[in-house]
Amino acid sequence: MQGGRVSGKNRGRFIMEKRTGNWQDLYRKEREEEPKLPEGPILFYNDLVIDHFTNPRNVGEISDSDGYALVGDPSCGDQMKLWIKVKKKKISEIKFRSFGCPGAIATSSMVTQLALGKTIDEAKRLTDDDVISALGGIPENKKHCSLMGINALLAAIADYEEKRGRANPREEEL
Amino acid sequence: MIYLDHNATTPLHPAVFRAMEPYMREQFGNASSSYRLGRSAKSALEASRKSIAGCLGAQPDEIVFTGGGTESDNIAIRGVAHALRSKGNHVITSHIEHHAVLNTCQDLEREGFRVTYLPVDSGGQINPDDVRSHIGAETILITVMLANNETGVIQPLSEVGKIAREEQIIFHTDAVQAVGKIPVDVNELSVDLLSLSGHKFYGPKGVGALYVRRNTPINPPFTGGHHERNIRPGTENVPGIVGLAEALLLATGSLPEVAQKLTGLRQRFEATVLRKINGVQINGRSAPRVHNTSNMSFQSIEGESILLHLDLKGIYASSGSACSTDSPEPSHVLVAMGVPAGTAQGTIRFSLGKDNTDDQIDYVMEALMEITARLREISSVRDK
Ligand SMILES: Cc1ncc(COP(=O)(O)O)c(C=O)c1O
Ligand code: FES
């Protein structure tokens, strides 16, 4: 509970109850309830985020990758490496390693899960909001963490396209 | 649940609760009232003052009750700076203070004071010679903490005290993390002001004290009634103060025992961690430390991730200080000690308490081995 304030969703309920006369008990009950995952800038993660944090998907490296990127978040020093393999313009394999907070690890994992099997064009359209909503939300102060995964994905795709462009310049125009 | 965050706060000692209880029930009087109910509150208040003074080697009239450590620090620093403004505008402190001191000093800077932040060595200690070399004609206050909340490192305050005494400069210490853990005597330290806080030694939260040596110039930041020698006006928190006094008596009485127990526990904990986990450093280990604190940096993994894994296993510790959990910046204390930012990021502060056991430490060891291996498997940083 954050400072004993009534959360947004409950406010309507409190106003209603206030008319009916036993609103004080509701405040008391809220105080005694099990601490919930509060909204707002606190370090709490939902079960899906915790699942991706404790069992991250697609951890590892690809030695013969088609695209690779290393990105960092200068504000917190966190860092991520991402490898992709592309077959028939689709991301056929994707692996990552992350040094970072739980938000960084969970969003990295989700980025790889979302990108796997997508075409390059589809993958390029993924945003940090997609990652956050696929995870069912993350705490406010952790939103920047999800950018790292997206940036790594875009950078790895750019690396792939650059390499491919160099190897096979005419294919670009097809 | 294994609680290893006693520098953040401690559970209330049951005997402290029992001592406080009557003052929340039948003895609820206002200590300023002249009828009997008030008089008994007043006598509990004064008895508490006397016993706290006794624990610190102070006189009862030198103890001012406050709303905790932060408030004590504020009253001391602002109070002295404002009282001596006409004499000078220079304050000396250190880089490793708690934010209760650091942010107060920064506030003074905005008011036009000049503040010197002393550096620390790699062990986390200031050098008393630096204090001397920074003292000038304008210096009116020195404020240096006794034990650091993140590393537990004890500062060489007796020497700073001697210098302050020679130079006749007012000397304050934030002893919030030291009181109850090591013997603290205001005369041995030669301090003029000392802050302490009840909830760090099994007392209640939101109550603390400020030792103010007789004749120390102080310009109280709050105005109100004539409580606490006008230094901290407001109806006294009698149950809290009774609890504070009882907690300090208990902590002082059991200090040698608890210190011995925790020294052994920590020694075993640290030795095992260093033996069984690669790439760990224990910050401040080369310096004298309070016996309960162990500040460990794990290479190539990040502290908050370690913390969440520990939490999932029912172990409570902290990354740096409780106040910094919302900001991603590395700890200012570790930065001041020259710990590289990447290393500082993987830091966990374990702070033991009197009720922790050998079995708990064994469980934490197992957990740490598993967690570090797991996070390193995921980590993109591959050094050492
Ligand atoms: C060194 C130090 N000073 C001051 C404080 C603040 O004390 P309080 O929480 O009682 O305001 C703390 C603890 O949070 C501390 O560790
Ligand atoms: S705090 Fe840096 S990525 Fe989460």
Side-chain angles (χ1 to χ4, degrees), chain A residues 45 73 75-79 99-105 107 141-148, chain B residues 302 304 327-328 345:
Chain A
Y45 300 104
D73 183 331
S75 76
C76 59
D78 290 355
Q79 185 202 82
F99 165 76
C101 72
I105 292 176
T107 54
N141 64 339
K142 290 280 139 183
K143 291 210 163 141
H144 74 273
C145 313
S146 63
L147 264 176
M148 199 164 69
Chain B
E302 194 269 345
E304 210 197 306
S327 60
Q345 256 181 292

Side-chain angles (χ1 to χ4, degrees), chain A residues 16-24:
Chain A
M16 264 206 358
E17 292 293 334
K18 195 158 176 173
R19 289 200 202 103
T20 68
N22 57 354
W23 53 277
Q24 294 97 332

Side-chain angles (χ1 to χ4, degrees), chain B residues 7 147-148 151-154 177-178 181-182 266 288-293:
Chain B
N7 286 9
N148 181 265
T151 60
V153 170
I154 299 169
Q177 291 291 349
K181 296 186 182 124
I182 55 173
R266 181 180 69 180
R289 289 179 293 167
V290 290
H291 48 256
N292 80 319
T293 309

Side-chain angles (χ1 to χ4, degrees), chain A residues 54 76 78-79 97 100 142, chain B residues 304-305 345 374 377-378 380:
Chain A
T54 49
C76 59
D78 290 355
Q79 185 202 82
R97 289 195 188 280
K142 290 280 139 183
Chain B
E304 210 197 306
S305 288
Q345 256 181 292
R374 217 154 152 188
E377 167 66 29
I378 303 171
S380 55

Side-chain angles (χ1 to χ4, degrees), chain B residues 1-4 6 11 311 313-316 356 360 363-364:
Chain B
M1 170 185 105
I2 299 180
Y3 186 77
L4 297 178
H6 292 82
D311 183 355
K313 291 176 183 296
I315 301 166
Y316 298 136
N356 288 131
Q360 290 182 331
Y363 177 79
V364 174

